[in-house]
Amino acid sequence: MRDDPGLYDFAPYRDRPKLIWPEGKTVAVWVAPNLEYYEIDPPANPYRKSWAKPHPDVVGFSHRDHSNRVSHWRMAEAMSKHGFPGSVSLSVALCQHHPEVVADARARGWEFFSHGIYNTRYAYGMDERQERAIIEDSIRTVREATGQTIRGWLAPALTHTERTLDLIAEYGLTYTCDLYHDDQPTPIRTKTGRLISMPYSLEVNDHYGFFVYNMSPRAYAEALIRQFDRLADEGATSATVMCIPLHAYLIGQPHRIGPFEKVLEHIAADGRAWITTAGEIADAYLEQAV
């Protein structure tokens, strides 16, 4: 067994070439709404159960369905109001199940990348043919629904095989959100192509904030502000990235959206943030990377 998977080189935080964002901004801020579809009774995966309760889990399904019926619109309106585009982590089956949600994100000028077909279909145990089929389906479905060609990947429910990164690079994708090792983009070692790791976050992901850390809406908002302030300070030395991963059925609830909107106001008013998309961050980084 290898001690290190060898996906990227070790580089101490303050011993790297200086990274610069447009207009001298010190931190690139991108918001990643997870627009998802959860099957109520998905095929069983032998490695992991889709729902904690026996299938069909009506409660779990309906809780998440709040995203597409109500809270997406509340979250999206708050983001648009304060000038934040979305880089959508998309369960691509949503294009068929609820095309209205995808159309709304497209109309707002949001970017799309793949979060697999369903968030209830895991990569564990897949062979190469199955994994290729999912990547090809993602590229085709998003292009047909939005006119965009996906450039990024976040594995469904954060599940992978040993070949996932090599395959998405082979298919021409630019970035992966599946590694959580840095606050700046980093090159990833793949067999072909040129792939980078785009800083995503588990620490300030609303799923972790509310389900794992049991934060109040106010405490979560304060954590986001502390995250931004620190990364903006450090970015004066070499530019950083802050990702805000969201799930509308969580952040878009009536009792949570207010504190979150205060976060957007804080970041927008600060002046140090490059409020952008994952694709634009990837382009800016690749222009500077050796």
Side-chain angles (χ1 to χ4, degrees):
M1 182 176 178
R2 292 175 297 178
D3 293 327
D4 185 330
L7 295 175
Y8 45 81
D9 293 330
F10 175 71
Y13 188 35
R14 290 310 184 200
D15 189 22
R16 306 173 182 178
K18 182 178 176 66
L19 190 60
I20 300 171
W21 295 143
E23 300 180 359
K25 303 295 186 180
T26 63
V27 56
V29 178
W30 69 287
V31 181
N34 286 264
L35 302 188
E36 299 171 327
Y37 195 87
Y38 290 79
E39 303 161 285
I40 191 169
D41 193 12
N45 185 295
Y47 297 91
R48 177 177 169 183
K49 294 176 64 176
S50 299
W51 296 105
K53 297 179 181 179
H55 299 188
D57 185 354
V58 176
V59 173
F61 173 85
S62 62
H63 185 202
R64 287 157 179 80
D65 201 33
H66 194 276
S67 275
N68 298 320
R69 297 175 59 85
V70 179
S71 50
H72 160 73
W73 316 94
R74 187 177 287 133
M75 174 193 68
E77 287 164 6
M79 290 169 58
S80 294
K81 176 182 176 182
H82 297 287
F84 285 77
S87 299
V88 176
S89 170
L90 180 68
S91 294
V92 300
L94 193 67
C95 295
Q96 283 82 38
H97 287 282
H98 296 304
E100 300 89 347
V101 178
V102 177
D104 177 73
R106 179 187 180 191
R108 295 176 189 274
W110 291 7
E111 174 183 294
F112 296 86
F113 62 91
S114 178
H115 195 22
I117 309 300
Y118 291 100
N119 214 35
T120 37
R121 304 271 181 117
Y122 305 138
Y124 299 139
M126 283 188 182
D127 60 30
E128 182 173 336
R129 178 190 59 82
Q130 291 172 313
E131 199 163 8
R132 285 184 180 276
I134 288 177
I135 297 169
E136 292 170 4
D137 186 299
S138 295
I139 295 170
R140 180 178 61 254
T141 301
V142 174
R143 185 178 289 151
E144 290 174 352
T146 71
Q148 296 185 24
T149 299
I150 61 170
R151 300 183 58 196
W153 190 265
L154 178 65
L158 310 187
T159 64
H160 321 85
T161 72
E162 289 188 352
R163 72 183 76 87
T164 300
L165 297 180
D166 285 328
L167 286 178
I168 63 174
E170 178 185 328
Y171 279 93
L173 275 67
T174 305
Y175 63 88
T176 174
C177 301
D178 283 319
L179 304 172
Y180 313 100
H181 63 296
D182 216 293
D183 291 327
Q184 295 177 314
T186 54
I188 301 303
R189 191 175 292 112
T190 53
K191 293 179 180 178
T192 61
R194 190 181 189 190
L195 189 70
I196 67 170
S197 173
M198 180 61 58
Y200 192 73
S201 179
L202 300 183
E203 288 293 320
V204 294
N205 189 311
D206 62 351
H207 173 86
Y208 275 71
F210 298 129
F211 278 171
V212 178
Y213 303 140
N214 296 314
M215 289 179 166
S216 68
R218 182 177 298 172
Y220 176 66
E222 290 172 350
L224 288 174
I225 289 173
R226 289 196 302 272
Q227 183 93 345
F228 169 78
D229 288 347
R230 182 68 184 223
L231 287 171
D233 288 346
E234 293 181 356
T237 301
S238 183
T240 56
V241 175
M242 176 177 178
C243 179
I244 306 177
L246 301 176
H247 301 75
Y249 75 95
L250 296 174
I251 202 64
Q253 294 291 343
H255 66 105
R256 291 184 177 131
I257 195 67
F260 177 66
E261 197 164 354
K262 296 294 186 184
V263 175
L264 301 182
E265 291 174 355
H266 176 87
I267 294 172
D270 182 274
R272 293 176 292 174
W274 177 31
I275 300 169
T276 188
T277 64
E280 290 181 335
I281 296 170
D283 288 339
Y285 172 76
L286 288 169
E287 288 177 0
Q288 300 174 62
V290 177

